[in-house]
Amino acid sequence: MYRALNFNAGPAALPEEVLKEAEKSLLNFGNTGMGIMELSHRSKEYQAVHDQAITRLRRLLAIPDDFEVLFIQGGASLQFSMVPMNLLGKDQAAHYVLSGSWSEKALKEADKIGETVISASSKDQKYSFIPKYSQDEIPDNAAYLHITSNNTIYGTQWQSFPSNKKTPVVADMSSDILSRPLKVDQFDLIYAGAQKNLGPSGVTVVIIRKELLKRSSEMLPVMLNYNTFANNNSLYNTPPTLSIYLLSLVLQWAEQIGGLEQIEKANEMKAKMLYDVIDESEGFYIGHAHKNSRSRMNVTFNLQSEDLSREFQKQAKEAGFVGLGGHRSIGGCRASIYNAVPEHHVEKLAAFMKAFKNNN
């Protein structure tokens, strides 16, 4: 069967093995006579799927016991609001590091809830690098420090994370969770929309230190309170059952191919292929991100003119490549090379880029 050369930023490519396994369950899951999406979320069959997804995530990421794993709907965009609603106290300020459009949106929502502070920003440099911030300037009573670990639009990524923190660290990891080993206990809350590396759209994973759950006010709407999900194993209402099933299959696939260490090596190799083409093109391809901030998930670049960029995308589409246009807010080109994008697809893109340069 034909499979597109899929470089979409999200929803993104899923492992072919996962899709084939899921296909078997669409009509008859576990001899129930029902498809996986038809099962009651209160059934023992679905309960096993749900619990297995949590177990696999805990195992892959080595999540400590003092953290809860929650499945929430609404995407990372809802977390922009839920984080300050649950964690931002009356006489506190939430600190944000601005490294791209998604951190801007997170800040905008927090501004509606309480006091915020911009601890660092690279906006004046078109978000071409991860800004440095001073931990000494964050007061002891700060509610939390919010970062976005990978910036899909601008192609930048944190290479290392805050340490020796005085305040809780919250990270939006929607676009690079599961792409490399992670010390979960460096953070206090991690959230991630699934549609990049974890699975399909429809479910958002929240990993939260149990101690932080005490901050959530009982006056919050029930579906905006983290305790609702923590106290009910994320089954207070009907969860996105199909998305969670597929997420569990993706986690199983990640374990089978060697876990996060092996995935990191593959991601490094794929990113190097494309960055080498950019760096060796003598200015034909112009990378957006500074080299010390480059993302392994989203390779962003421009060509020497808009006309050339349009021609590149036109010919790429004719050659079978999908999703190489830059985000509508900044234009240019972008190749999203998440975990499930096969290495040979990236090899084909690198070869196409070299050929296009030689012909133009």
PDB file of all heavy atoms in Angstrom, residues 62-95:
ATOM      1  N   ALA A  62      10.303   6.342  33.058  1.00  0.00           N
ATOM      2  CA  ALA A  62      10.775   6.161  34.440  1.00  0.00           C
ATOM      3  C   ALA A  62      10.140   7.209  35.359  1.00  0.00           C
ATOM      4  O   ALA A  62      10.840   7.927  36.092  1.00  0.00           O
ATOM      5  CB  ALA A  62      12.301   6.219  34.501  1.00  0.00           C
ATOM      6  N   ILE A  63       8.839   7.297  35.315  1.00  0.00           N
ATOM      7  CA  ILE A  63       8.108   8.294  36.107  1.00  0.00           C
ATOM      8  C   ILE A  63       8.083   7.864  37.569  1.00  0.00           C
ATOM      9  O   ILE A  63       7.613   6.769  37.893  1.00  0.00           O
ATOM     10  CB  ILE A  63       6.678   8.467  35.570  1.00  0.00           C
ATOM     11  CG1 ILE A  63       6.713   8.942  34.107  1.00  0.00           C
ATOM     12  CG2 ILE A  63       5.887   9.441  36.432  1.00  0.00           C
ATOM     13  CD1 ILE A  63       5.358   8.983  33.438  1.00  0.00           C
ATOM     14  N   PRO A  64       8.576   8.701  38.474  1.00  0.00           N
ATOM     15  CA  PRO A  64       8.596   8.340  39.896  1.00  0.00           C
ATOM     16  C   PRO A  64       7.188   8.165  40.469  1.00  0.00           C
ATOM     17  O   PRO A  64       6.202   8.683  39.929  1.00  0.00           O
ATOM     18  CB  PRO A  64       9.308   9.537  40.556  1.00  0.00           C
ATOM     19  CG  PRO A  64      10.066  10.185  39.442  1.00  0.00           C
ATOM     20  CD  PRO A  64       9.240   9.994  38.222  1.00  0.00           C
ATOM     21  N   ASP A  65       7.095   7.465  41.575  1.00  0.00           N
ATOM     22  CA  ASP A  65       5.804   7.170  42.197  1.00  0.00           C
ATOM     23  C   ASP A  65       5.103   8.408  42.741  1.00  0.00           C
ATOM     24  O   ASP A  65       3.885   8.385  42.956  1.00  0.00           O
ATOM     25  CB  ASP A  65       5.977   6.155  43.337  1.00  0.00           C
ATOM     26  CG  ASP A  65       6.359   4.769  42.825  1.00  0.00           C
ATOM     27  OD1 ASP A  65       6.110   4.492  41.631  1.00  0.00           O
ATOM     28  OD2 ASP A  65       6.904   3.978  43.620  1.00  0.00           O
ATOM     29  N   ASP A  66       5.863   9.480  42.979  1.00  0.00           N
ATOM     30  CA  ASP A  66       5.218  10.668  43.538  1.00  0.00           C
ATOM     31  C   ASP A  66       4.654  11.585  42.442  1.00  0.00           C
ATOM     32  O   ASP A  66       4.388  12.763  42.692  1.00  0.00           O
ATOM     33  CB  ASP A  66       6.171  11.442  44.453  1.00  0.00           C
ATOM     34  CG  ASP A  66       7.434  11.911  43.755  1.00  0.00           C
ATOM     35  OD1 ASP A  66       7.805  11.300  42.739  1.00  0.00           O
ATOM     36  OD2 ASP A  66       8.046  12.884  44.233  1.00  0.00           O
ATOM     37  N   PHE A  67       4.466  11.031  41.257  1.00  0.00           N
ATOM     38  CA  PHE A  67       3.818  11.753  40.162  1.00  0.00           C
ATOM     39  C   PHE A  67       2.567  11.004  39.734  1.00  0.00           C
ATOM     40  O   PHE A  67       2.545   9.769  39.714  1.00  0.00           O
ATOM     41  CB  PHE A  67       4.748  11.872  38.943  1.00  0.00           C
ATOM     42  CG  PHE A  67       5.820  12.923  39.074  1.00  0.00           C
ATOM     43  CD1 PHE A  67       6.965  12.667  39.812  1.00  0.00           C
ATOM     44  CD2 PHE A  67       5.687  14.160  38.451  1.00  0.00           C
ATOM     45  CE1 PHE A  67       7.960  13.623  39.931  1.00  0.00           C
ATOM     46  CE2 PHE A  67       6.677  15.118  38.563  1.00  0.00           C
ATOM     47  CZ  PHE A  67       7.815  14.855  39.308  1.00  0.00           C
ATOM     48  N   GLU A  68       1.537  11.755  39.373  1.00  0.00           N
ATOM     49  CA  GLU A  68       0.337  11.190  38.768  1.00  0.00           C
ATOM     50  C   GLU A  68       0.441  11.291  37.252  1.00  0.00           C
ATOM     51  O   GLU A  68       1.031  12.243  36.724  1.00  0.00           O
ATOM     52  CB  GLU A  68      -0.922  11.950  39.224  1.00  0.00           C
ATOM     53  CG  GLU A  68      -1.283  11.768  40.680  1.00  0.00           C
ATOM     54  CD  GLU A  68      -2.014  10.452  40.949  1.00  0.00           C
ATOM     55  OE1 GLU A  68      -2.210   9.664  39.990  1.00  0.00           O
ATOM     56  OE2 GLU A  68      -2.392  10.227  42.111  1.00  0.00           O
ATOM     57  N   VAL A  69      -0.134  10.317  36.559  1.00  0.00           N
ATOM     58  CA  VAL A  69      -0.252  10.361  35.100  1.00  0.00           C
ATOM     59  C   VAL A  69      -1.727  10.521  34.763  1.00  0.00           C
ATOM     60  O   VAL A  69      -2.551   9.681  35.143  1.00  0.00           O
ATOM     61  CB  VAL A  69       0.304   9.077  34.454  1.00  0.00           C
ATOM     62  CG1 VAL A  69       0.056   9.092  32.944  1.00  0.00           C
ATOM     63  CG2 VAL A  69       1.792   8.939  34.744  1.00  0.00           C
ATOM     64  N   LEU A  70      -2.045  11.596  34.057  1.00  0.00           N
ATOM     65  CA  LEU A  70      -3.437  11.923  33.751  1.00  0.00           C
ATOM     66  C   LEU A  70      -3.658  11.951  32.242  1.00  0.00           C
ATOM     67  O   LEU A  70      -2.771  12.349  31.482  1.00  0.00           O
ATOM     68  CB  LEU A  70      -3.815  13.292  34.325  1.00  0.00           C
ATOM     69  CG  LEU A  70      -3.389  13.585  35.778  1.00  0.00           C
ATOM     70  CD1 LEU A  70      -3.773  15.004  36.153  1.00  0.00           C
ATOM     71  CD2 LEU A  70      -4.018  12.575  36.731  1.00  0.00           C
ATOM     72  N   PHE A  71      -4.842  11.526  31.809  1.00  0.00           N
ATOM     73  CA  PHE A  71      -5.267  11.652  30.420  1.00  0.00           C
ATOM     74  C   PHE A  71      -6.400  12.673  30.356  1.00  0.00           C
ATOM     75  O   PHE A  71      -7.469  12.461  30.937  1.00  0.00           O
ATOM     76  CB  PHE A  71      -5.742  10.310  29.867  1.00  0.00           C
ATOM     77  CG  PHE A  71      -4.671   9.262  29.761  1.00  0.00           C
ATOM     78  CD1 PHE A  71      -4.961   7.929  30.014  1.00  0.00           C
ATOM     79  CD2 PHE A  71      -3.373   9.601  29.394  1.00  0.00           C
ATOM     80  CE1 PHE A  71      -3.980   6.951  29.897  1.00  0.00           C
ATOM     81  CE2 PHE A  71      -2.378   8.628  29.284  1.00  0.00           C
ATOM     82  CZ  PHE A  71      -2.690   7.305  29.543  1.00  0.00           C
ATOM     83  N   ILE A  72      -6.149  13.771  29.648  1.00  0.00           N
ATOM     84  CA  ILE A  72      -7.107  14.886  29.593  1.00  0.00           C
ATOM     85  C   ILE A  72      -7.370  15.229  28.134  1.00  0.00           C
ATOM     86  O   ILE A  72      -6.524  15.004  27.269  1.00  0.00           O
ATOM     87  CB  ILE A  72      -6.546  16.107  30.361  1.00  0.00           C
ATOM     88  CG1 ILE A  72      -6.265  15.727  31.820  1.00  0.00           C
ATOM     89  CG2 ILE A  72      -7.498  17.295  30.305  1.00  0.00           C
ATOM     90  CD1 ILE A  72      -5.675  16.849  32.669  1.00  0.00           C
ATOM     91  N   GLN A  73      -8.547  15.753  27.860  1.00  0.00           N
ATOM     92  CA  GLN A  73      -8.861  16.205  26.509  1.00  0.00           C
ATOM     93  C   GLN A  73      -8.601  17.714  26.393  1.00  0.00           C
ATOM     94  O   GLN A  73      -8.224  18.365  27.349  1.00  0.00           O
ATOM     95  CB  GLN A  73     -10.317  15.873  26.182  1.00  0.00           C
ATOM     96  CG  GLN A  73     -10.608  14.364  26.229  1.00  0.00           C
ATOM     97  CD  GLN A  73     -12.038  14.015  25.922  1.00  0.00           C
ATOM     98  OE1 GLN A  73     -12.569  14.364  24.890  1.00  0.00           O
ATOM     99  NE2 GLN A  73     -12.674  13.299  26.846  1.00  0.00           N
ATOM    100  N   GLY A  74      -8.775  18.248  25.202  1.00  0.00           N
ATOM    101  CA  GLY A  74      -8.617  19.697  25.028  1.00  0.00           C
ATOM    102  C   GLY A  74      -7.272  20.121  24.480  1.00  0.00           C
ATOM    103  O   GLY A  74      -7.050  21.307  24.230  1.00  0.00           O
ATOM    104  N   GLY A  75      -6.356  19.173  24.285  1.00  0.00           N
ATOM    105  CA  GLY A  75      -5.058  19.513  23.736  1.00  0.00           C
ATOM    106  C   GLY A  75      -4.197  20.319  24.694  1.00  0.00           C
ATOM    107  O   GLY A  75      -4.615  20.683  25.796  1.00  0.00           O
ATOM    108  N   ALA A  76      -2.977  20.627  24.252  1.00  0.00           N
ATOM    109  CA  ALA A  76      -2.092  21.461  25.068  1.00  0.00           C
ATOM    110  C   ALA A  76      -2.685  22.845  25.268  1.00  0.00           C
ATOM    111  O   ALA A  76      -2.421  23.506  26.287  1.00  0.00           O
ATOM    112  CB  ALA A  76      -0.719  21.562  24.407  1.00  0.00           C
ATOM    113  N   SER A  77      -3.518  23.288  24.345  1.00  0.00           N
ATOM    114  CA  SER A  77      -4.116  24.626  24.460  1.00  0.00           C
ATOM    115  C   SER A  77      -4.976  24.752  25.708  1.00  0.00           C
ATOM    116  O   SER A  77      -5.033  25.819  26.318  1.00  0.00           O
ATOM    117  CB  SER A  77      -4.949  24.945  23.207  1.00  0.00           C
ATOM    118  OG  SER A  77      -4.121  25.052  22.070  1.00  0.00           O
ATOM    119  N   LEU A  78      -5.661  23.683  26.101  1.00  0.00           N
ATOM    120  CA  LEU A  78      -6.426  23.749  27.348  1.00  0.00           C
ATOM    121  C   LEU A  78      -5.489  23.819  28.551  1.00  0.00           C
ATOM    122  O   LEU A  78      -5.796  24.475  29.547  1.00  0.00           O
ATOM    123  CB  LEU A  78      -7.348  22.540  27.477  1.00  0.00           C
ATOM    124  CG  LEU A  78      -8.212  22.506  28.747  1.00  0.00           C
ATOM    125  CD1 LEU A  78      -9.108  23.743  28.842  1.00  0.00           C
ATOM    126  CD2 LEU A  78      -9.050  21.243  28.811  1.00  0.00           C
ATOM    127  N   GLN A  79      -4.331  23.176  28.449  1.00  0.00           N
ATOM    128  CA  GLN A  79      -3.363  23.233  29.548  1.00  0.00           C
ATOM    129  C   GLN A  79      -2.817  24.640  29.755  1.00  0.00           C
ATOM    130  O   GLN A  79      -2.393  24.985  30.865  1.00  0.00           O
ATOM    131  CB  GLN A  79      -2.225  22.245  29.299  1.00  0.00           C
ATOM    132  CG  GLN A  79      -2.655  20.795  29.329  1.00  0.00           C
ATOM    133  CD  GLN A  79      -3.421  20.454  30.591  1.00  0.00           C
ATOM    134  OE1 GLN A  79      -2.938  20.678  31.713  1.00  0.00           O
ATOM    135  NE2 GLN A  79      -4.618  19.933  30.428  1.00  0.00           N
ATOM    136  N   PHE A  80      -2.823  25.461  28.700  1.00  0.00           N
ATOM    137  CA  PHE A  80      -2.410  26.851  28.869  1.00  0.00           C
ATOM    138  C   PHE A  80      -3.252  27.529  29.948  1.00  0.00           C
ATOM    139  O   PHE A  80      -2.773  28.408  30.664  1.00  0.00           O
ATOM    140  CB  PHE A  80      -2.549  27.636  27.558  1.00  0.00           C
ATOM    141  CG  PHE A  80      -1.698  27.135  26.420  1.00  0.00           C
ATOM    142  CD1 PHE A  80      -1.994  27.512  25.111  1.00  0.00           C
ATOM    143  CD2 PHE A  80      -0.609  26.306  26.636  1.00  0.00           C
ATOM    144  CE1 PHE A  80      -1.219  27.068  24.057  1.00  0.00           C
ATOM    145  CE2 PHE A  80       0.179  25.859  25.580  1.00  0.00           C
ATOM    146  CZ  PHE A  80      -0.135  26.238  24.286  1.00  0.00           C
ATOM    147  N   SER A  81      -4.519  27.113  30.049  1.00  0.00           N
ATOM    148  CA  SER A  81      -5.420  27.675  31.061  1.00  0.00           C
ATOM    149  C   SER A  81      -5.411  26.870  32.352  1.00  0.00           C
ATOM    150  O   SER A  81      -5.424  27.434  33.446  1.00  0.00           O
ATOM    151  CB  SER A  81      -6.854  27.721  30.508  1.00  0.00           C
ATOM    152  OG  SER A  81      -6.940  28.492  29.341  1.00  0.00           O
ATOM    153  N   MET A  82      -5.408  25.538  32.233  1.00  0.00           N
ATOM    154  CA  MET A  82      -5.488  24.706  33.431  1.00  0.00           C
ATOM    155  C   MET A  82      -4.290  24.879  34.346  1.00  0.00           C
ATOM    156  O   MET A  82      -4.435  24.854  35.578  1.00  0.00           O
ATOM    157  CB  MET A  82      -5.641  23.229  33.049  1.00  0.00           C
ATOM    158  CG  MET A  82      -7.040  22.843  32.613  1.00  0.00           C
ATOM    159  SD  MET A  82      -7.246  21.050  32.371  1.00  0.00           S
ATOM    160  CE  MET A  82      -7.245  20.454  34.078  1.00  0.00           C
ATOM    161  N   VAL A  83      -3.110  25.047  33.773  1.00  0.00           N
ATOM    162  CA  VAL A  83      -1.915  25.204  34.610  1.00  0.00           C
ATOM    163  C   VAL A  83      -2.052  26.399  35.551  1.00  0.00           C
ATOM    164  O   VAL A  83      -1.936  26.251  36.777  1.00  0.00           O
ATOM    165  CB  VAL A  83      -0.635  25.300  33.751  1.00  0.00           C
ATOM    166  CG1 VAL A  83       0.551  25.789  34.588  1.00  0.00           C
ATOM    167  CG2 VAL A  83      -0.310  23.952  33.133  1.00  0.00           C
ATOM    168  N   PRO A  84      -2.316  27.622  35.059  1.00  0.00           N
ATOM    169  CA  PRO A  84      -2.459  28.739  35.997  1.00  0.00           C
ATOM    170  C   PRO A  84      -3.705  28.631  36.869  1.00  0.00           C
ATOM    171  O   PRO A  84      -3.682  29.056  38.040  1.00  0.00           O
ATOM    172  CB  PRO A  84      -2.514  29.972  35.085  1.00  0.00           C
ATOM    173  CG  PRO A  84      -2.948  29.462  33.756  1.00  0.00           C
ATOM    174  CD  PRO A  84      -2.351  28.087  33.651  1.00  0.00           C
ATOM    175  N   MET A  85      -4.790  28.062  36.355  1.00  0.00           N
ATOM    176  CA  MET A  85      -5.997  27.925  37.177  1.00  0.00           C
ATOM    177  C   MET A  85      -5.746  27.057  38.400  1.00  0.00           C
ATOM    178  O   MET A  85      -6.288  27.302  39.475  1.00  0.00           O
ATOM    179  CB  MET A  85      -7.141  27.345  36.346  1.00  0.00           C
ATOM    180  CG  MET A  85      -7.679  28.288  35.290  1.00  0.00           C
ATOM    181  SD  MET A  85      -8.961  27.543  34.262  1.00  0.00           S
ATOM    182  CE  MET A  85     -10.365  27.639  35.367  1.00  0.00           C
ATOM    183  N   ASN A  86      -4.909  26.039  38.244  1.00  0.00           N
ATOM    184  CA  ASN A  86      -4.642  25.112  39.336  1.00  0.00           C
ATOM    185  C   ASN A  86      -3.433  25.502  40.179  1.00  0.00           C
ATOM    186  O   ASN A  86      -3.384  25.163  41.369  1.00  0.00           O
ATOM    187  CB  ASN A  86      -4.426  23.705  38.784  1.00  0.00           C
ATOM    188  CG  ASN A  86      -5.704  23.012  38.379  1.00  0.00           C
ATOM    189  OD1 ASN A  86      -6.298  22.262  39.152  1.00  0.00           O
ATOM    190  ND2 ASN A  86      -6.157  23.268  37.159  1.00  0.00           N
ATOM    191  N   LEU A  87      -2.455  26.192  39.593  1.00  0.00           N
ATOM    192  CA  LEU A  87      -1.177  26.397  40.286  1.00  0.00           C
ATOM    193  C   LEU A  87      -0.871  27.832  40.680  1.00  0.00           C
ATOM    194  O   LEU A  87       0.003  28.056  41.519  1.00  0.00           O
ATOM    195  CB  LEU A  87      -0.018  25.878  39.408  1.00  0.00           C
ATOM    196  CG  LEU A  87      -0.061  24.430  38.953  1.00  0.00           C
ATOM    197  CD1 LEU A  87       1.244  24.066  38.253  1.00  0.00           C
ATOM    198  CD2 LEU A  87      -0.326  23.490  40.114  1.00  0.00           C
ATOM    199  N   LEU A  88      -1.532  28.794  40.079  1.00  0.00           N
ATOM    200  CA  LEU A  88      -1.194  30.199  40.325  1.00  0.00           C
ATOM    201  C   LEU A  88      -2.000  30.758  41.490  1.00  0.00           C
ATOM    202  O   LEU A  88      -3.218  30.933  41.401  1.00  0.00           O
ATOM    203  CB  LEU A  88      -1.441  31.023  39.056  1.00  0.00           C
ATOM    204  CG  LEU A  88      -1.129  32.512  39.110  1.00  0.00           C
ATOM    205  CD1 LEU A  88       0.269  32.784  39.649  1.00  0.00           C
ATOM    206  CD2 LEU A  88      -1.306  33.142  37.734  1.00  0.00           C
ATOM    207  N   GLY A  89      -1.299  31.007  42.604  1.00  0.00           N
ATOM    208  CA  GLY A  89      -1.959  31.512  43.801  1.00  0.00           C
ATOM    209  C   GLY A  89      -2.202  33.009  43.766  1.00  0.00           C
ATOM    210  O   GLY A  89      -1.682  33.735  42.907  1.00  0.00           O
ATOM    211  N   LYS A  90      -2.958  33.485  44.727  1.00  0.00           N
ATOM    212  CA  LYS A  90      -3.402  34.880  44.762  1.00  0.00           C
ATOM    213  C   LYS A  90      -2.245  35.867  44.849  1.00  0.00           C
ATOM    214  O   LYS A  90      -2.236  36.892  44.167  1.00  0.00           O
ATOM    215  CB  LYS A  90      -4.345  35.082  45.951  1.00  0.00           C
ATOM    216  CG  LYS A  90      -4.920  36.485  46.055  1.00  0.00           C
ATOM    217  CD  LYS A  90      -5.861  36.598  47.237  1.00  0.00           C
ATOM    218  CE  LYS A  90      -6.418  38.007  47.362  1.00  0.00           C
ATOM    219  NZ  LYS A  90      -7.320  38.138  48.546  1.00  0.00           N
ATOM    220  N   ASP A  91      -1.280  35.607  45.691  1.00  0.00           N
ATOM    221  CA  ASP A  91      -0.171  36.547  45.885  1.00  0.00           C
ATOM    222  C   ASP A  91       1.119  36.052  45.231  1.00  0.00           C
ATOM    223  O   ASP A  91       2.216  36.317  45.714  1.00  0.00           O
ATOM    224  CB  ASP A  91       0.063  36.771  47.389  1.00  0.00           C
ATOM    225  CG  ASP A  91      -1.147  37.392  48.057  1.00  0.00           C
ATOM    226  OD1 ASP A  91      -1.727  38.328  47.467  1.00  0.00           O
ATOM    227  OD2 ASP A  91      -1.521  36.928  49.158  1.00  0.00           O
ATOM    228  N   GLN A  92       0.971  35.343  44.135  1.00  0.00           N
ATOM    229  CA  GLN A  92       2.119  34.802  43.424  1.00  0.00           C
ATOM    230  C   GLN A  92       2.137  35.310  41.988  1.00  0.00           C
ATOM    231  O   GLN A  92       1.169  35.877  41.493  1.00  0.00           O
ATOM    232  CB  GLN A  92       2.065  33.266  43.408  1.00  0.00           C
ATOM    233  CG  GLN A  92       2.203  32.605  44.767  1.00  0.00           C
ATOM    234  CD  GLN A  92       2.104  31.090  44.632  1.00  0.00           C
ATOM    235  OE1 GLN A  92       1.155  30.562  44.060  1.00  0.00           O
ATOM    236  NE2 GLN A  92       3.106  30.392  45.160  1.00  0.00           N
ATOM    237  N   ALA A  93       3.270  35.080  41.338  1.00  0.00           N
ATOM    238  CA  ALA A  93       3.381  35.372  39.908  1.00  0.00           C
ATOM    239  C   ALA A  93       3.895  34.127  39.198  1.00  0.00           C
ATOM    240  O   ALA A  93       4.714  33.378  39.735  1.00  0.00           O
ATOM    241  CB  ALA A  93       4.331  36.541  39.661  1.00  0.00           C
ATOM    242  N   ALA A  94       3.383  33.893  38.001  1.00  0.00           N
ATOM    243  CA  ALA A  94       3.850  32.789  37.168  1.00  0.00           C
ATOM    244  C   ALA A  94       4.896  33.326  36.201  1.00  0.00           C
ATOM    245  O   ALA A  94       4.678  34.346  35.545  1.00  0.00           O
ATOM    246  CB  ALA A  94       2.685  32.175  36.406  1.00  0.00           C
ATOM    247  N   HIS A  95       6.030  32.656  36.117  1.00  0.00           N
ATOM    248  CA  HIS A  95       7.138  33.101  35.267  1.00  0.00           C
ATOM    249  C   HIS A  95       7.181  32.274  33.983  1.00  0.00           C
ATOM    250  O   HIS A  95       7.081  31.038  34.029  1.00  0.00           O
ATOM    251  CB  HIS A  95       8.466  32.984  36.020  1.00  0.00           C
ATOM    252  CG  HIS A  95       8.609  34.011  37.103  1.00  0.00           C
ATOM    253  ND1 HIS A  95       9.584  34.981  37.075  1.00  0.00           N
ATOM    254  CD2 HIS A  95       7.895  34.226  38.236  1.00  0.00           C
ATOM    255  CE1 HIS A  95       9.460  35.759  38.151  1.00  0.00           C
ATOM    256  NE2 HIS A  95       8.444  35.310  38.869  1.00  0.00           N
TER     257      HIS A  95
END
